[in-house]
Amino acid sequence: MSVDPNAATQGGFGPPPGAGEHRRPHPARYLVPALVASAVAVGLGVYGKSHDPAGTAFNLAGFSSTSAVKAWLGTTAFAFALLQIVSALMVYGRLPGPSWASVLHRWSGRIAFLVSVPVAVHCLYALGYQTYSTRVMWHSLLGCFFFGAFSAKMLLLRSEKLPGWLLPVVGGLVFVVLTVVWWTSALWFFRTFGVTT
Amino acid sequence: MKRSGPLYTLLGGLLLALFMLSLNATTGEGNSSYGNDSPGAASPAPSSAKPTGSTPAPTKSPSERASESPSQSPSKRPAGKSEYAGRTADDAAAVSVSIRDDKAIAYYCNGRDAESWLKGDVEDDGSMRLTGKNGAKLDATLADNAVRGKVEINEQPRDFTAARAKKPSGLYRATTEVRGAEIDGGWIVLPDGRQVGILKADGKPRPAPRLDPETGAVPYDGGELTARPVVP
């Protein structure tokens, strides 16, 4: 048995009963998250592609543009995603960490996700799914994929009898995709227009 | 026991998304900013803030014109058509000038929200003073196969240099109507192949989709538009 993701480092949640046993999980444990993930990713893409991009959306005070707001929100999400990697390594005992590492992991993930939602809403509502350049194509594709993968990760968390490698792999995938999405948008924005608010 | 934390997280994200969508849908364009943003500019004046009076015609007075007799010096202006494309010195926007004989049309575009079409006459010495809507001005000189000068959009003067552009680089425009919406797109294809363009649908600007400079085809809304080279 490889690492049990449910085992908190110290204190926190105890391992749920049966978590250490190696029983074959019911296929629904994989299928439901996979199907939901596909539905989310495809649904977002279809919405982005089919509706007419509005071109506009509301802005936050203090920023010169919604692009700047999105770049900073995206960067915030990415920063919390980095914290996700560190805290995940702590939860798995690969890094020395405090007893509240799993709480840190949970909440930094929530914040990263919630911060990314307005960005995605603006992207899909105002700009839509576009493919007019390589950067934009990958950003659109992986942006939709990210929310699918994230949904899968969340749903997989609810299952207890999964192979130990699955969560780290899906979590890592979510992180990699978010990195590319950030790279093709916020980083591009900062490099094109300067680090501006 | 199944943990419900992750479900709440997803649900929270979904609710937030729906909340933002409803805000977007109900806010309308009143305080929307995507169309007017220009983070590249240091402090852009809102385009709506300054409905300037009509600018006088840019041509020099007849007496000035008469003093520059064509025989004085060989004209620096190439006869026929020529196009120029380049960027502003601060790299905030692209500028392209299309010249035919003594007429010029220029396009300033930052690729997101600020653009201006300008036109006017080219003097025999290669100088030009072009004007556009909302007080847009372009003062430049054509020399050594490049147009150099200053362009002023939204009261922001910027220096620019536009080098001679050979097809497929140059200036393109598409004006048409798609499902009742007035479409007006402008593209500057820079000599290195990069494109800067804005596509306005019913006056709302947004980054233009990539144009195929060979054919002028532009993907739009599931269909295709055709952009044509701009000639004064």
Side-chain angles (χ1 to χ4, degrees):
Chain A
M1 176 77 197
S2 45
V3 193
D4 176 11
N6 297 316
T9 40
Q10 301 114 36
F13 289 88
E21 295 167 35
H22 215 6
R23 257 185 285 156
R24 193 162 190 80
H26 194 270
R29 290 186 194 283
Y30 306 103
L31 278 180
V32 170
L35 288 177
V36 170
S38 314
V40 168
V42 172
L44 290 179
V46 167
Y47 168 74
K49 188 91 187 161
S50 60
H51 84 110
D52 284 339
T56 61
F58 67 92
N59 195 4
L60 289 180
F63 284 94
S64 61
S65 70
T66 36
S67 312
V69 177
K70 285 167 71 181
W72 284 106
L73 285 178
T75 304
T76 308
F78 181 65
F80 277 102
L82 289 174
L83 191 55
Q84 283 280 288
I85 295 294
V86 175
S87 58
L89 288 172
M90 289 173 177
V91 169
Y92 279 80
R94 300 296 168 94
L95 278 181
S99 58
W100 39 270
S102 53
V103 177
L104 176 68
H105 185 75
R106 225 169 282 144
W107 280 99
S108 60
R110 277 189 184 132
I111 293 172
F113 170 61
L114 290 179
V115 159
S116 73
V117 165
V119 182
V121 168
H122 182 275
C123 281
L124 287 165
Y125 178 80
L127 306 176
Y129 186 101
Q130 306 287 351
T131 52
Y132 54 82
S133 74
T134 313
R135 174 186 76 82
V136 169
M137 192 260 295
W138 281 111
H139 183 79
S140 297
L141 189 70
L142 291 178
C144 297
F145 187 84
F146 169 78
F147 286 95
F150 182 81
S151 309
K153 170 72 164 51
M154 288 296 102
L155 294 177
L156 285 173
L157 280 174
R158 305 192 69 226
S159 297
E160 281 141 9
K161 288 167 225 138
L162 293 170
W165 52 266
L166 189 60
L167 272 184
V169 165
V170 176
L173 183 69
V174 169
F175 173 76
V176 168
V177 170
L178 181 69
T179 305
V180 177
V181 168
W182 175 79
W183 187 284
T184 53
S185 58
L187 191 61
W188 169 84
F189 177 86
F190 290 137
R191 290 172 71 163
T192 309
F193 302 110
V195 180
T196 172
T197 56
Chain B
M1 167 226 150
K2 286 194 168 185
R3 279 173 294 166
S4 35
L7 272 195
Y8 290 136
T9 305
L10 281 179
L11 204 62
L14 185 66
L15 287 177
L16 180 61
L18 291 176
F19 173 68
M20 306 278 301
L21 263 184
S22 67
L23 269 190
N24 277 338
T26 51
T27 317
E29 290 164 46
N31 60 352
S32 75
S33 75
Y34 192 81
N36 293 325
D37 64 357
S38 56
S43 57
S47 56
S48 59
K50 190 176 150 282
T52 48
S54 64
T55 325
T59 46
K60 292 181 179 178
S61 67
S63 58
E64 269 180 301
R65 193 184 273 253
S67 68
E68 298 163 353
S69 95
S71 59
Q72 245 176 350
S73 62
S75 175
K76 289 180 177 175
R77 201 182 66 208
K81 288 191 280 187
S82 58
E83 289 198 295
Y84 304 84
R87 297 187 70 89
T88 56
D90 63 358
D91 216 28
V95 178
S96 181
V97 185
S98 175
I99 296 174
R100 183 172 62 174
D101 298 321
D102 62 342
K103 297 276 183 222
I105 189 160
Y107 183 51
Y108 166 98
C109 180
N110 73 356
R112 283 164 295 114
D113 46 74
E115 60 152 22
S116 186
W117 290 95
L118 309 102
K119 52 186 165 180
D121 294 341
V122 185
E123 305 301 326
D124 282 334
D125 62 0
S127 69
M128 62 191 91
R129 305 199 64 197
L130 314 183
T131 54
K133 283 181 192 162
N134 296 324
K137 279 185 284 192
L138 184 149
D139 287 14
T141 307
L142 168 57
D144 304 329
N145 263 342
V147 177
R148 289 183 186 83
K150 192 169 282 222
V151 60
E152 191 176 322
I153 308 291
N154 292 337
E155 296 179 298
Q156 280 239 327
R158 292 189 172 88
D159 292 319
F160 76 94
T161 304
R164 183 81 183 255
K166 294 214 163 53
K167 288 276 173 256
S169 58
L171 181 54
Y172 296 82
R173 190 172 199 179
T175 49
T176 182
E177 195 175 296
V178 175
R179 269 171 244 147
E182 290 289 336
I183 308 295
D184 186 356
W187 287 261
I188 296 169
V189 180
L190 295 165
D192 63 4
R194 281 185 302 161
Q195 301 187 359
V196 180
I198 282 182
L199 190 66
K200 285 201 288 190
D202 279 336
K204 268 189 277 179
R206 64 180 141 108
R210 197 171 168 81
L211 141 105
D212 180 353
E214 302 294 343
T215 60
V218 181
Y220 180 75
D221 202 8
E224 216 167 62
L225 310 176
T226 305
R228 294 197 169 76
V230 176
V231 175

